[in-house]
């Protein structure tokens, strides 16, 4: 379960699984407005992000954050270690008729701070998000990753994700 601001935070993992080496101080919590600059920096901190993200928090990011925060089917989550934001992801819960009315979880915008990549933070965050979907009763978890992100594709396959569909997008 996420730990909203003002409530005690629980270290990963909340379900009592073994803690990854060095991850005992990694906590996941709902992002607050004060986290927005760190989240925007994470989104811009890669080859693809540099070309499509702004360098600073502007009105568009503020509006998007407010919309996510107000929507009970959306959760912007940060991974925090030693008091610093080291990762983020967004979870959207999508109701549907398919799969006998099963809700699905969509994981997007998974980012880990460059100096924390390869340390297990990303694996812990995605595993935690999958556990949240399972606890909620979702029928599946889905995500997309850019075809140019070979390392990300390998990462997700290592977590058990299967490239079962061809995703398509139409920029507007």
């Amino acid at each position: 379960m996420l730990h909203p601001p003002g409530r005690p935070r629980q270290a990963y993992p909340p379900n009592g699984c073994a803690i990854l080496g060095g991850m005992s101080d990694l906590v996941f919590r709902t992002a607050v407005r004060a986290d927005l600059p760190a989240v925007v920096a994470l989104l811009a901190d890669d080859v693809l992000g540099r070309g499509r993200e702004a360098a600073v928090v502007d009105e568009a990011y503020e509006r998007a954050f407010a919309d996510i925060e107000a929507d009970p089917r959306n959760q912007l989550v940060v991974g925090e270690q030693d008091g610093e934001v080291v990762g983020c992801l967004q979870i959207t819960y999508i109701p549907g008729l398919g799969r006998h009315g099963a809700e699905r979880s969509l994981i997007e915008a998974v980012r880990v701070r460059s100096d924390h990549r390869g340390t297990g933070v990303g694996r812990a965050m995605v595993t935690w998000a999958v556990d949240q979907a399972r606890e909620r009763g979702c029928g599946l978890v889905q995500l997309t990753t850019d075809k140019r992100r070979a390392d990300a594709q390998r990462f997700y396959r290592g977590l058990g994700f299967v490239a079962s569909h061809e995703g398509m997008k139409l920029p507007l």
Side-chain angles (χ1 to χ4, degrees), residues 61-115:
Y61 287 123
E62 294 279 2
R63 185 174 48 253
F65 179 82
D67 288 346
I68 292 166
E69 189 175 46
D71 185 343
R73 292 193 178 275
N74 273 287
Q75 299 173 321
L76 181 60
V77 177
V78 294
E80 185 179 83
Q81 196 168 37
D82 298 325
E84 295 184 11
V85 172
V86 297
C88 67
L89 58 78
Q90 181 177 341
I91 307 169
T92 302
Y93 297 103
I94 306 168
L97 294 175
R99 298 178 183 262
H100 201 236
E103 187 175 57
R104 64 185 61 205
S105 173
L106 173 66
I107 299 174
E108 288 288 324
V110 177
R111 298 291 191 280
V112 174
R113 206 170 73 189
S114 59
D115 61 335

Coordinates of all heavy atoms in Angstrom, one line a residue, residues 61-115:
Y61 N 3.6 20.9 -16.3 CA 4.0 19.9 -15.3 C 3.1 20.1 -14.1 O 2.6 19.1 -13.5 CB 5.4 19.9 -14.9 CG 6.4 19.4 -16.0 CD1 7.4 20.2 -16.5 CD2 6.2 18.1 -16.4 CE1 8.3 19.7 -17.4 CE2 7.1 17.6 -17.4 CZ 8.1 18.4 -17.9 OH 9.0 17.9 -18.8
E62 N 2.9 21.3 -13.7 CA 2.1 21.6 -12.5 C 0.6 21.1 -12.7 O 0.0 20.5 -11.8 CB 2.0 23.1 -12.2 CG 3.3 23.7 -11.8 CD 3.6 23.5 -10.3 OE1 2.9 22.9 -9.6 OE2 4.7 24.0 -9.9
R63 N 0.1 21.4 -13.9 CA -1.3 20.9 -14.2 C -1.4 19.4 -14.2 O -2.3 18.8 -13.7 CB -1.7 21.5 -15.5 CG -3.1 21.3 -15.9 CD -3.5 22.0 -17.2 NE -2.6 21.9 -18.3 CZ -1.8 22.8 -18.8 NH1 -1.8 24.0 -18.2 NH2 -1.0 22.6 -19.8
A64 N -0.4 18.8 -14.9 CA -0.4 17.3 -14.9 C -0.3 16.7 -13.6 O -1.0 15.7 -13.2 CB 0.8 16.8 -15.8
F65 N 0.6 17.2 -12.7 CA 0.7 16.7 -11.4 C -0.6 16.9 -10.6 O -1.1 15.9 -9.9 CB 1.8 17.5 -10.6 CG 2.0 17.0 -9.2 CD1 2.7 15.8 -8.9 CD2 1.4 17.6 -8.1 CE1 2.8 15.3 -7.6 CE2 1.5 17.1 -6.8 CZ 2.2 16.0 -6.6
A66 N -1.3 18.0 -10.7 CA -2.6 18.2 -10.0 C -3.6 17.2 -10.5 O -4.4 16.7 -9.7 CB -3.0 19.6 -10.2
D67 N -3.6 17.0 -11.8 CA -4.6 16.0 -12.4 C -4.3 14.6 -11.9 O -5.2 13.9 -11.5 CB -4.5 16.0 -13.9 CG -5.1 17.2 -14.6 OD1 -5.8 18.0 -13.8 OD2 -4.8 17.5 -15.8
I68 N -3.0 14.2 -11.8 CA -2.7 12.8 -11.3 C -3.1 12.7 -9.9 O -3.7 11.8 -9.4 CB -1.2 12.6 -11.5 CG1 -0.9 12.4 -13.0 CG2 -0.8 11.3 -10.8 CD1 0.6 12.5 -13.3
E69 N -2.7 13.8 -9.1 CA -3.0 13.8 -7.6 C -4.5 13.7 -7.4 O -4.9 13.0 -6.4 CB -2.4 15.0 -7.0 CG -2.4 15.1 -5.5 CD -1.7 16.3 -5.0 OE1 -2.0 17.4 -5.5 OE2 -0.9 16.1 -4.1
A70 N -5.3 14.3 -8.2 CA -6.8 14.3 -8.0 C -7.5 13.0 -8.5 O -8.6 12.8 -8.1 CB -7.4 15.5 -8.7
D71 N -6.8 12.2 -9.3 CA -7.5 11.0 -9.9 C -7.2 9.8 -9.0 O -6.0 9.4 -8.9 CB -6.9 10.9 -11.3 CG -7.6 9.7 -12.0 OD1 -8.3 8.9 -11.4 OD2 -7.4 9.7 -13.3
P72 N -8.2 9.2 -8.4 CA -8.0 8.0 -7.6 C -7.4 6.8 -8.3 O -7.0 5.8 -7.7 CB -9.3 7.7 -6.9 CG -10.3 8.4 -7.9 CD -9.6 9.5 -8.5
R73 N -7.5 6.8 -9.6 CA -7.0 5.7 -10.4 C -5.5 5.9 -10.9 O -5.0 5.1 -11.6 CB -7.8 5.4 -11.6 CG -9.2 4.9 -11.3 CD -9.9 4.3 -12.5 NE -11.2 3.8 -12.1 CZ -11.4 2.5 -11.7 NH1 -10.4 1.7 -11.5 NH2 -12.6 2.1 -11.4
N74 N -4.9 7.0 -10.5 CA -3.6 7.3 -10.8 C -2.7 7.5 -9.6 O -3.2 8.2 -8.6 CB -3.5 8.6 -11.7 CG -3.7 8.3 -13.1 OD1 -2.8 7.8 -13.8 ND2 -4.8 8.6 -13.7
Q75 N -1.5 7.1 -9.6 CA -0.6 7.3 -8.5 C 0.8 7.6 -9.1 O 1.3 6.8 -9.8 CB -0.5 6.0 -7.6 CG -1.8 5.6 -7.0 CD -1.7 4.3 -6.3 OE1 -1.1 3.3 -6.8 NE2 -2.4 4.1 -5.2
L76 N 1.3 8.7 -8.7 CA 2.7 9.1 -9.0 C 3.5 8.7 -7.8 O 3.2 9.2 -6.7 CB 2.8 10.5 -9.3 CG 4.3 11.0 -9.7 CD1 4.8 10.3 -10.9 CD2 4.3 12.5 -9.9
V77 N 4.4 7.8 -7.9 CA 5.2 7.2 -6.8 C 6.6 7.6 -6.9 O 7.2 7.6 -8.0 CB 5.0 5.7 -6.8 CG1 5.8 5.0 -5.7 CG2 3.6 5.3 -6.7
V78 N 7.2 7.9 -5.8 CA 8.7 8.1 -5.8 C 9.3 7.1 -4.9 O 8.8 6.6 -3.9 CB 9.1 9.6 -5.3 CG1 8.6 10.6 -6.3 CG2 8.6 9.9 -4.0
G79 N 10.5 6.7 -5.3 CA 11.4 5.9 -4.5 C 12.4 6.8 -3.8 O 13.0 7.7 -4.5
E80 N 12.5 6.7 -2.5 CA 13.3 7.6 -1.7 C 14.3 6.8 -0.9 O 14.0 5.8 -0.3 CB 12.4 8.4 -0.8 CG 13.1 9.5 0.0 CD 12.1 10.2 0.9 OE1 11.8 9.7 2.0 OE2 11.6 11.3 0.5
Q81 N 15.5 7.3 -1.0 CA 16.6 6.6 -0.2 C 17.5 7.7 0.4 O 17.9 8.7 -0.2 CB 17.5 5.8 -1.2 CG 18.3 4.8 -0.5 CD 18.9 3.8 -1.5 OE1 19.2 4.1 -2.6 NE2 19.0 2.5 -1.1
D82 N 17.7 7.5 1.7 CA 18.5 8.5 2.5 C 17.9 10.0 2.3 O 18.6 10.9 2.2 CB 19.9 8.5 2.1 CG 20.6 7.2 2.4 OD1 20.2 6.6 3.4 OD2 21.5 6.7 1.6
G83 N 16.5 10.0 2.2 CA 15.9 11.3 2.1 C 15.9 12.0 0.7 O 15.4 13.1 0.6
E84 N 16.4 11.3 -0.3 CA 16.5 11.8 -1.6 C 15.6 10.9 -2.6 O 15.6 9.7 -2.5 CB 17.9 11.8 -2.1 CG 18.8 12.7 -1.4 CD 20.2 12.8 -2.0 OE1 20.4 12.3 -3.1 OE2 21.1 13.3 -1.3
V85 N 15.0 11.6 -3.5 CA 14.2 10.9 -4.6 C 15.3 10.3 -5.5 O 16.1 11.0 -6.1 CB 13.3 11.8 -5.3 CG1 12.6 11.1 -6.5 CG2 12.2 12.4 -4.4
V86 N 15.2 9.0 -5.7 CA 16.1 8.2 -6.5 C 15.4 7.5 -7.7 O 16.1 7.0 -8.6 CB 17.0 7.2 -5.8 CG1 17.9 8.0 -4.8 CG2 16.2 6.2 -5.1
G87 N 14.1 7.6 -7.7 CA 13.3 6.9 -8.7 C 11.9 7.3 -8.7 O 11.4 7.9 -7.7
C88 N 11.2 7.1 -9.8 CA 9.8 7.4 -9.9 C 9.1 6.4 -10.9 O 9.7 5.8 -11.7 CB 9.5 8.8 -10.3 SG 10.0 9.2 -12.0
L89 N 7.8 6.4 -10.7 CA 6.9 5.7 -11.7 C 5.5 6.1 -11.5 O 5.2 6.7 -10.5 CB 7.1 4.1 -11.6 CG 6.7 3.4 -10.3 CD1 5.2 3.3 -10.1 CD2 7.4 2.0 -10.4
Q90 N 4.7 5.9 -12.5 CA 3.3 6.2 -12.4 C 2.5 5.0 -12.6 O 2.8 4.2 -13.6 CB 2.9 7.3 -13.5 CG 1.4 7.7 -13.4 CD 1.0 8.7 -14.3 OE1 1.8 9.5 -14.8 NE2 -0.3 8.9 -14.6
I91 N 1.5 4.7 -11.8 CA 0.6 3.6 -11.9 C -0.8 4.1 -12.2 O -1.3 5.0 -11.5 CB 0.6 2.8 -10.6 CG1 2.0 2.4 -10.2 CG2 -0.3 1.5 -10.8 CD1 2.0 1.8 -8.7
T92 N -1.4 3.6 -13.3 CA -2.8 3.9 -13.6 C -3.5 2.6 -13.6 O -3.1 1.6 -14.2 CB -2.8 4.6 -15.0 OG1 -2.0 5.7 -15.0 CG2 -4.3 4.9 -15.4
Y93 N -4.7 2.6 -12.9 CA -5.5 1.5 -12.9 C -6.7 1.7 -13.9 O -7.4 2.7 -13.8 CB -6.1 1.3 -11.4 CG -4.9 1.0 -10.5 CD1 -4.5 1.9 -9.6 CD2 -4.3 -0.3 -10.5 CE1 -3.4 1.7 -8.7 CE2 -3.3 -0.6 -9.6 CZ -2.8 0.4 -8.7 OH -1.8 0.2 -7.9
I94 N -6.8 0.7 -14.8 CA -7.7 0.9 -15.9 C -8.9 -0.1 -15.8 O -8.6 -1.4 -15.9 CB -7.0 0.7 -17.3 CG1 -5.8 1.7 -17.3 CG2 -8.0 0.9 -18.4 CD1 -4.9 1.4 -18.5
P95 N -10.1 0.3 -15.6 CA -11.2 -0.7 -15.6 C -11.5 -1.1 -17.1 O -11.2 -0.4 -18.0 CB -12.4 0.2 -15.1 CG -12.1 1.6 -15.4 CD -10.6 1.7 -15.4
G96 N -12.0 -2.3 -17.2 CA -12.3 -2.8 -18.5 C -13.2 -3.9 -18.5 O -13.4 -4.6 -17.5
L97 N -13.9 -4.2 -19.6 CA -14.8 -5.3 -19.8 C -14.0 -6.6 -20.1 O -14.4 -7.7 -19.8 CB -15.8 -5.1 -20.8 CG -16.8 -3.9 -20.4 CD1 -17.8 -3.7 -21.6 CD2 -17.6 -4.3 -19.2
G98 N -12.9 -6.4 -20.9 CA -12.1 -7.6 -21.3 C -11.6 -8.3 -20.1 O -11.5 -7.8 -19.0
R99 N -11.2 -9.6 -20.3 CA -10.7 -10.5 -19.3 C -11.7 -10.6 -18.1 O -11.4 -10.5 -16.9 CB -9.4 -10.1 -18.8 CG -8.3 -10.1 -19.9 CD -7.0 -9.7 -19.3 NE -6.0 -9.7 -20.4 CZ -5.1 -10.6 -20.6 NH1 -5.1 -11.7 -19.9 NH2 -4.3 -10.6 -21.7
H100 N -13.0 -10.7 -18.5 CA -14.1 -10.8 -17.6 C -14.2 -9.7 -16.6 O -14.4 -9.9 -15.4 CB -14.0 -12.2 -16.9 CG -15.3 -12.6 -16.3 ND1 -15.5 -13.0 -15.0 CD2 -16.5 -12.8 -16.9 CE1 -16.7 -13.3 -14.8 NE2 -17.4 -13.2 -16.0
G101 N -14.0 -8.5 -17.1 CA -14.1 -7.3 -16.3 C -12.9 -7.0 -15.4 O -13.1 -6.2 -14.4
A102 N -11.8 -7.6 -15.7 CA -10.6 -7.4 -14.8 C -10.1 -6.0 -15.0 O -10.0 -5.4 -16.1 CB -9.6 -8.4 -15.2
E103 N -9.7 -5.4 -13.9 CA -8.9 -4.1 -13.9 C -7.5 -4.5 -14.3 O -7.0 -5.5 -14.0 CB -9.0 -3.5 -12.5 CG -8.4 -2.1 -12.5 CD -8.6 -1.4 -11.1 OE1 -8.2 -2.0 -10.1 OE2 -9.2 -0.4 -11.1
R104 N -6.8 -3.5 -15.0 CA -5.4 -3.7 -15.3 C -4.6 -2.6 -14.8 O -5.1 -1.5 -14.6 CB -5.2 -3.9 -16.8 CG -5.5 -2.7 -17.7 CD -5.4 -3.0 -19.1 NE -6.3 -4.1 -19.5 CZ -6.2 -4.9 -20.6 NH1 -5.1 -4.7 -21.4 NH2 -7.0 -5.8 -20.9
S105 N -3.4 -2.8 -14.5 CA -2.5 -1.8 -14.0 C -1.5 -1.4 -15.2 O -0.9 -2.3 -15.8 CB -1.7 -2.4 -12.8 OG -0.7 -1.4 -12.4
L106 N -1.4 -0.1 -15.4 CA -0.4 0.4 -16.4 C 0.7 1.1 -15.6 O 0.4 2.0 -14.9 CB -1.2 1.3 -17.3 CG -0.3 2.1 -18.3 CD1 0.3 1.1 -19.3 CD2 -1.1 3.2 -19.0
I107 N 1.9 0.6 -15.9 CA 3.1 1.2 -15.3 C 3.8 2.1 -16.3 O 4.1 1.6 -17.4 CB 4.0 0.2 -14.7 CG1 3.4 -0.7 -13.6 CG2 5.3 0.9 -14.2 CD1 4.2 -1.8 -13.1
E108 N 4.0 3.3 -16.0 CA 4.6 4.2 -17.0 C 5.7 5.1 -16.3 O 5.7 5.2 -15.1 CB 3.6 5.2 -17.6 CG 2.6 4.6 -18.6 CD 3.3 4.2 -19.9 OE1 4.1 5.0 -20.4 OE2 2.9 3.2 -20.5
A109 N 6.5 5.7 -17.1 CA 7.5 6.7 -16.6 C 8.4 6.2 -15.5 O 8.6 6.9 -14.5 CB 6.8 8.0 -16.2
V110 N 8.8 5.0 -15.7 CA 9.8 4.4 -14.7 C 11.1 5.0 -15.0 O 11.7 4.9 -16.1 CB 9.9 2.8 -14.9 CG1 10.9 2.3 -13.9 CG2 8.5 2.2 -14.7
R111 N 11.7 5.6 -13.9 CA 13.0 6.3 -14.1 C 13.8 6.1 -12.8 O 13.2 6.1 -11.7 CB 12.9 7.8 -14.3 CG 12.2 8.2 -15.6 CD 13.0 7.8 -16.8 NE 12.4 8.4 -18.0 CZ 11.4 8.0 -18.7 NH1 10.8 6.9 -18.3 NH2 11.0 8.6 -19.8
V112 N 15.0 5.9 -12.9 CA 15.9 5.8 -11.8 C 17.1 6.8 -12.0 O 17.6 6.9 -13.1 CB 16.5 4.3 -11.6 CG1 17.6 4.3 -10.6 CG2 15.4 3.3 -11.4
R113 N 17.4 7.5 -11.0 CA 18.5 8.5 -11.1 C 19.7 7.8 -11.6 O 20.1 6.7 -11.1 CB 18.7 9.1 -9.7 CG 19.2 10.5 -9.8 CD 19.2 11.2 -8.5 NE 20.2 10.7 -7.6 CZ 20.3 11.0 -6.3 NH1 19.4 11.8 -5.7 NH2 21.2 10.4 -5.5
S114 N 20.4 8.5 -12.4 CA 21.6 7.9 -13.1 C 22.6 7.3 -12.2 O 23.2 6.3 -12.5 CB 22.2 8.9 -14.1 OG 22.7 10.1 -13.4
D115 N 22.9 8.0 -11.0 CA 23.9 7.4 -10.1 C 23.4 6.3 -9.3 O 24.1 5.7 -8.5 CB 24.4 8.5 -9.2 CG 23.4 9.2 -8.3 OD1 22.2 9.2 -8.7 OD2 23.7 9.7 -7.3

